[in-house]
Amino acid sequence: MEEVEQTAGERMAGGSSPDSTSSRVSASVNTTLTEKKPEAGPAKLGPVGWARWFWRTLTSMKTALILLFLFALASIPGSIWPQRGVSDAMVVRYFDDSPQLAEWLDRFWLFDVFKAPWFAAIYLLLFLSLIGCVLPRTKAHLRELRKKPPAPPRNLVRLPQHASFESDLTVETAAARLRARRFRVTTGPDWVAGEKGYLRETGNLVFHVALLGLLVAVGMGTLYGYRGNVLVVEGEGFANTVAAYDRYMPGQQVSAESLEPFSFALDDFQATYIASGERRGQPLDFEAKLKVTDAPGAPERDYALKVNDPLEVNGTQTYLIDHGYAPTFKITDGKGQVAFDGPVPCLVAQPANFTSECVIKVPDAQPEQLGLLVAFRPTTVPLNGDWVSVFPGAANPTAQVYGAFAGDLGLKNGRPQSVYELDPASLKKMKPLVMKAEPLAVGKKLDLPGGTGSIEFTGVKEWIALQIAYDPGRMPAFVASTLAVLGLVLSLTVRRRRVWVRVKDAPAEASGGSGHEHDRKHVEVGGLTRTEGSDFSEEFAEIVSVLNPGVKDAR
Amino acid sequence: MPAEVDAGLALLSDQLILATVLLYVFAMIGYALDLGFGRSKVKARAVAEPALVTVGGGTAAAPPASEESSAPAVKAPPAWAMWAGPVAVGLSWLGWAANLGSILTRGLAVGRWPWGNMYEFVVAMCFAAVSAFLFMNLRYRIRFLGAFVMVAATLGLGFSVRYLQVQAGPVVPALNSYWVAIHVSAAIIASGLFIMAGVSGVLYLIRKDTSVRLPSLADLDRVAHRAIVIAFPIWTFAVIAGALWADKAWGRYWGWDPKEVWAFITWIAYAAYLHARATAGFKGKAAMIVQLIAFACLLFNLVGVNIFLGGLHSYAEVPG
Ligand code: HEM
């Protein structure tokens, strides 16, 4: 976004350089100079005038810089407060811990910073501003590319770089030598003008256009892509339909029919941990063995899903993002009927050793519904009259009922309930049966008091959490950002420079007397670059020595 | 990836890092002696290139405001002082080799890329900063920065040995990917260069006109700018590689995770520096301040985000 208000030609010739020499020269050399300054406040303008003033101000370099800064500043809150869609659980906790503050923060979209209207306003203005400066600059650059380097200024000595020497150099050889150094060259009767480094502006434009492309790609992803989460227990499966998701976040333009119709079953999940030493318990590898069907009727294939290695079906990616235990239970009710039999996915309470908390709701139990709270420990050891898990792998799994209740679970009152939680309001009205039992090993059973039933711990399965995402903007975003880097490198490393050579007949006193031959010429060379912070003198000296071989440094 | 750790090599790595710290400290002393007693840079330059020294800046004129600073510049430096600089450079190269050795042995000991946690990451970053200095010194004669770069590297290494060190071992599955080689290496190289630039920037701001012993403003400005021009594209690349990895690991290429937010902010801040420096009237001190703000964002991202904000980067756990 460098020097947006200036045209390419003006940039390199030193329009706003504080160096008075070069700006004087550029004024005399450059005719494409069009300084666009935001005009001072329009005192009595019509709507058109206002619009023009607004556009000028918006597309000025200063505004772009300010917007860029605002963009960065505006994203800071997004890293301070938890964000919906990134860490929803923490947002919920925030609302629980300080509801009033949370409500106020929410009013300012501080839990949705990157979807906030004020955030959108900043980047839309920024990109409008980008378009406003890229378009005229592209036009100017295209014109520039077709143009010949300008004729030399009258006085080459006034240029920031200059040299002169006596030699038999002709205009033709000077031009040839400059061309050999990949200068674009024009010649006059007694002068040569050379220019190179056009790639700098090309790179700069590519960079800015690529940024625009990136925005479009991101926008495409949010409109036409979708994302969802689902939890799958070993032995179960998933088919990619909206209903199968635990949580489904579609873009505005996504219809339920456009979901890629693949499905898979989870045969087995395996987590490997370090077994001993200081890092005991650290995970080494996760692998989920899937049987994938790419489309209805297609042959089944095996796939080992791992972290960093998503399953891809026609551009829809499935990621392994979490895992946990799903112990299986068989619950018999007061009437002797099996009211529940299957796995219960548990929340991980202590990630280091996978102590997990499980909630079992048994609405089918007769005569009363049952609710159970169970602690699951994969590797259980007794400690001070209590039990703890010491390893995340399931070496000695136990399930401990620490709360069993009979009564109405409150599922019918219409309020949505989390499957991982007993509704606290209903819980108060339920009858406690057991508050802390001994842990059960696999195959063991606990009888609930009062003939209300029994619970048997029948085995251990594991669950995996998957994220399934479709984002049509991925490849375009990748291409755009790659182009942006290439453009950036060009615009940072290439420098635009001009060199002029003027060949005059040597003045009489110089060629006479000291035995010089008659075709000896007086050659003046001048050069300038507008790229700040770059040192042109070294290259200029090289160029001079190429023009005047045999003399090391002509200055 | 093998789960076994070669204990011998791991120990060697730990010893080499201590050797590195010692060598850097000695080098730092050497550079300091060179600055304090060696040939004054300003005087040397004033003789060599009279045209470039602007009178009135206080540098060439060196008014006898403080005797300490001007007196040694007048006298010829003692013979031993002539050696302080070259010896310091030699010591830094030795320290650099020990640092490299430490990183290599750690990598060999655990059979993976040796930047899988905060300790390894900071060690590699200090190594990158010293490398940036030593290699730039080969080309641009920036020995004057040596003392300050060594201070930064020693502090960084000391901090990581004292507070971040964890036993060598395998990484969690999330980090077990070839993207470590691409994304993290780029982040490390860019950070090393940014540290160099940051050191120059700090010096630039605290330097007084009378401190003839310190490098000149123009030199500091040039070093900072060169380092950033190289580092900025590498940084951009690191961020993009991070996005590619995130696309493989987290299910989206960009999701405004705290580290992503701060990588973005840092990127904008350095871009602002480059723009500021290229804009007339905003050069010198103002641009340098922008650079240091960017540097602060960088450091916050490297350290602060891991400690205060958390996020998805699983390497970032700091031992308690
Ligand atoms: C620019 C500042 C950043 C730095 C200094 C940085 C540094 C690191 C480091 C040190 C690792 C750990 C690898 C290892 O130790 O083996 C890492 C991993 C990773 N980075 Fe970055 N990163 C940065 C930004 C980003 C961004 C912007 C993204 C995504 C858009 C990203 C995505 C990732 C991913 C996906 C991983 C591996 C997965 C994981 O750690 O769980 N990083 N990064």
Side-chain angles (χ1 to χ4, degrees):
Chain A
M1 215 158 320
E2 206 169 313
E3 266 105 354
V4 230
E5 300 153 65
Q6 302 166 351
T7 63
E10 192 253 349
R11 280 157 48 76
M12 67 118 351
S16 59
S17 164
D19 179 341
S20 60
T21 320
S22 66
S23 47
R24 236 177 300 139
V25 170
S26 77
S28 66
V29 167
N30 215 298
T31 46
T32 61
L33 192 150
T34 47
E35 179 88 5
K36 256 200 274 170
K37 268 227 164 64
E39 282 147 24
K44 37 184 191 300
L45 287 177
V48 179
W50 270 104
R52 185 172 298 153
W53 172 82
F54 177 75
W55 181 247
R56 290 249 170 104
T57 309
L58 181 66
T59 56
S60 82
M61 173 75 177
K62 207 160 86 205
T63 312
L65 270 182
I66 290 171
L67 284 170
L68 199 61
F69 262 119
L70 275 179
F71 196 19
L73 275 181
S75 63
I76 294 180
S79 75
I80 295 175
W81 286 286
Q83 298 294 300
R84 291 202 182 97
V86 178
S87 40
D88 294 281
M90 278 165 78
V91 176
V92 172
R93 200 174 328 141
Y94 209 104
F95 269 89
D96 286 345
D97 291 349
S98 33
Q100 276 188 327
L101 180 59
E103 212 166 283
W104 270 102
L105 293 175
D106 207 19
R107 256 171 229 166
F108 295 101
W109 300 71
L110 288 171
F111 298 113
D112 295 286
V113 167
F114 304 105
K115 295 177 208 114
W118 47 265
F119 193 76
I122 294 172
Y123 69 72
L124 288 179
L125 280 178
L126 180 62
F127 279 86
L128 210 58
S129 157
L130 254 179
I131 293 172
C133 77
V134 165
L135 284 182
R137 269 180 75 168
T138 309
K139 242 176 36 205
H141 186 54
L142 288 178
R143 215 179 317 123
E144 192 78 358
L145 281 178
R146 273 180 271 113
K147 240 178 11 206
K148 303 260 177 192
R154 208 168 338 106
N155 203 344
L156 290 181
V157 179
R158 302 237 306 263
L159 289 172
Q161 305 290 337
H162 54 86
S164 59
F165 51 86
E166 313 279 309
S167 98
D168 49 10
L169 189 74
T170 61
V171 167
E172 289 72 39
T173 36
R177 284 178 189 165
L178 282 180
R179 261 189 214 109
R181 288 187 70 95
R182 314 230 336 274
F183 272 89
R184 175 179 298 199
V185 172
T186 37
T187 52
D190 66 340
W191 54 263
V192 184
E195 180 161 4
K196 77 191 261 189
Y198 294 85
L199 271 182
R200 180 191 181 81
E201 178 69 1
T202 309
N204 206 332
L205 289 171
V206 166
F207 173 71
H208 288 97
V209 172
L211 285 189
L212 288 171
L214 194 58
L215 183 80
V216 172
V218 171
M220 232 163 85
T222 42
L223 284 181
Y224 294 95
Y226 65 88
R227 206 133 67 91
N229 295 86
V230 62
L231 185 147
V232 182
V233 178
E234 280 171 323
E236 295 180 353
F238 168 82
N240 192 24
T241 54
V242 172
Y245 283 100
D246 297 333
R247 182 156 162 257
Y248 175 67
M249 293 163 281
Q252 280 153 357
Q253 303 293 319
V254 179
S255 71
E257 293 84 59
S258 60
L259 267 60
E260 190 65 33
F262 66 94
S263 63
F264 54 78
L266 173 62
D267 276 359
D268 183 33
F269 173 75
Q270 216 124 48
T272 328
Y273 303 94
I274 299 178
S276 60
E278 191 186 274
R279 289 164 177 259
R280 190 182 136 91
Q282 181 196 302
L284 275 178
D285 196 21
F286 304 124
E287 184 175 313
K289 293 211 162 63
L290 304 182
K291 286 239 183 315
V292 183
T293 311
D294 289 339
E300 208 174 57
R301 62 178 169 120
D302 286 321
Y303 189 82
L305 181 65
K306 289 175 162 249
V307 177
N308 281 322
D309 197 3
L311 162 74
E312 172 164 357
V313 180
N314 266 335
T316 305
Q317 323 270 115
T318 303
Y319 300 84
L320 175 60
I321 55 173
D322 205 359
H323 69 109
Y325 283 102
T328 56
F329 297 99
K330 184 154 142 192
I331 292 167
T332 314
D333 66 13
K335 292 193 168 163
Q337 313 267 342
V338 176
F340 180 91
D341 188 7
V344 177
C346 304
L347 291 182
V348 182
Q350 294 168 27
N353 56 46
F354 270 80
T355 298
S356 309
E357 288 169 2
C358 326
V359 172
I360 314 172
K361 296 180 191 178
V362 196
D364 298 338
Q366 303 278 341
E368 280 183 295
Q369 293 184 331
L370 295 174
L372 295 114
L373 303 172
V374 178
F376 174 81
R377 299 187 183 89
T379 301
T380 317
V381 295
L383 181 81
N384 303 333
D386 206 347
W387 294 271
V388 294
S389 174
V390 292
F391 190 71
N396 178 29
T398 63
Q400 179 190 19
V401 177
Y402 66 91
F405 304 87
D408 182 9
L409 285 168
L411 295 177
K412 292 218 190 70
N413 65 8
R415 270 203 297 151
Q417 272 195 30
S418 158
V419 292
Y420 302 107
E421 211 177 58
L422 285 179
D423 178 30
S426 314
L427 200 57
K428 273 201 210 108
K429 290 182 236 144
M430 292 173 81
K431 178 167 46 141
L433 302 172
V434 178
M435 287 323 286
K436 186 174 181 184
E438 296 278 305
L440 301 171
V442 175
K444 294 283 184 279
K445 194 157 108 182
L446 174 74
D447 285 318
L448 300 175
T452 40
S454 68
I455 170 169
E456 184 184 349
F457 177 28
T458 52
V460 179
K461 287 188 173 181
E462 287 177 84
W463 57 259
I464 56 175
L466 300 172
Q467 168 157 306
I468 295 167
Y470 171 66
D471 183 346
R474 288 163 69 228
M475 272 324 278
F478 172 66
V479 172
S481 49
T482 307
L483 284 176
V485 179
L486 288 181
L488 185 67
V489 170
L490 284 181
S491 77
L492 282 179
T493 52
V494 176
R495 128 184 102 174
R496 187 86 174 266
R497 54 257 194 231
R498 280 181 187 170
V499 171
W500 289 280
V501 183
R502 183 171 279 133
V503 182
K504 291 189 220 161
D505 286 327
E509 65 271 23
S511 58
S514 50
H516 278 305
E517 282 150 50
H518 275 306
D519 52 356
R520 262 337 232 189
K521 301 272 173 41
H522 180 75
V523 181
E524 278 180 358
V525 190
L528 60 81
T529 172
R530 173 58 174 63
T531 310
E532 294 294 338
S534 66
D535 192 6
F536 186 42
S537 54
E538 220 170 275
E539 191 189 352
F540 184 77
E542 262 173 52
I543 293 169
V544 170
S545 68
V546 164
L547 292 173
N548 188 24
V551 183
K552 273 278 136 293
D553 194 334
R555 283 172 299 171
Chain B
M1 184 183 60
E4 309 83 40
V5 172
D6 187 324
L9 277 176
L11 181 67
L12 179 59
S13 168
D14 291 350
Q15 289 163 340
L16 278 172
I17 209 69
L18 295 182
T20 308
V21 173
L22 278 181
L23 285 164
Y24 284 171
V25 169
F26 286 134
M28 176 173 79
I29 296 172
Y31 288 121
L33 289 176
D34 180 41
L35 276 184
F37 300 97
R39 219 145 79 92
S40 160
K41 293 278 147 16
V42 175
K43 276 287 165 196
R45 185 172 314 236
V47 174
E49 306 167 61
L52 288 186
V53 177
T54 48
V55 186
T59 43
S66 80
E67 291 88 317
E68 280 138 69
S69 60
S70 55
V74 176
K75 271 191 278 158
W80 59 266
M82 300 296 286
W83 283 100
V87 168
V89 172
L91 285 172
S92 334
W93 276 108
L94 276 181
W96 179 85
N99 203 340
L100 178 64
S102 166
I103 293 174
L104 288 179
T105 46
R106 183 130 176 151
L108 289 175
V110 291
R112 58 169 170 80
W113 289 86
W115 29 78
N117 51 52
M118 273 295 270
Y119 167 72
E120 293 167 356
F121 183 65
V122 174
V123 167
M125 227 168 57
C126 294
F127 174 73
V130 173
S131 309
F133 164 69
L134 285 173
F135 283 101
M136 275 181 86
N137 188 39
L138 289 181
R139 229 194 114 179
Y140 297 121
R141 323 198 143 276
I142 52 167
R143 203 167 78 196
F144 52 78
L145 267 183
F148 310 98
V149 173
M150 288 301 147
V151 170
T154 313
L155 285 179
L157 287 179
F159 176 78
S160 58
V161 169
R162 174 71 187 78
Y163 295 105
L164 302 175
Q165 192 158 29
V166 289
Q167 212 180 55
V171 288
V172 295
L175 297 182
N176 187 6
S177 162
Y178 58 88
W179 282 107
V180 169
I182 304 168
H183 165 64
V184 188
S185 311
I188 288 170
I189 294 170
S191 305
L193 285 159
F194 281 141
I195 289 174
M196 274 268 301
V199 167
S200 316
V202 171
L203 266 183
Y204 187 101
L205 292 189
I206 60 175
R207 187 188 192 287
K208 302 220 170 46
D209 283 348
T210 49
S211 30
V212 289
R213 287 282 171 198
L214 290 181
S216 73
L217 291 181
D219 281 341
L220 290 170
D221 186 54
R222 197 160 32 236
V223 172
H225 183 249
R226 276 196 178 127
I228 291 173
V229 164
I230 303 169
F232 187 69
I234 302 179
W235 177 257
T236 313
F237 174 77
V239 172
I240 292 176
L244 287 171
W245 190 359
D247 184 50
K248 284 256 173 248
W250 300 331
R252 81 288 184 294
Y253 58 87
W254 193 272
W256 299 107
D257 168 71
K259 187 141 260 172
E260 291 168 347
V261 171
W262 281 93
F264 169 74
I265 294 171
T266 308
W267 190 86
I268 289 192
Y270 275 111
Y273 162 77
L274 290 174
H275 281 98
R277 206 169 171 285
T279 308
F282 212 76
K283 283 192 251 292
K285 198 161 167 186
M288 213 43 117
I289 289 173
V290 175
Q291 196 251 121
L292 287 180
I293 293 174
F295 187 55
C297 293
L298 178 83
L299 291 184
F300 183 75
N301 195 18
L302 297 178
V303 185
V305 168
N306 298 356
I307 296 172
F308 302 117
L309 301 178
L312 290 167
H313 271 78
S314 47
Y315 80 97
E317 270 121 59
V318 180

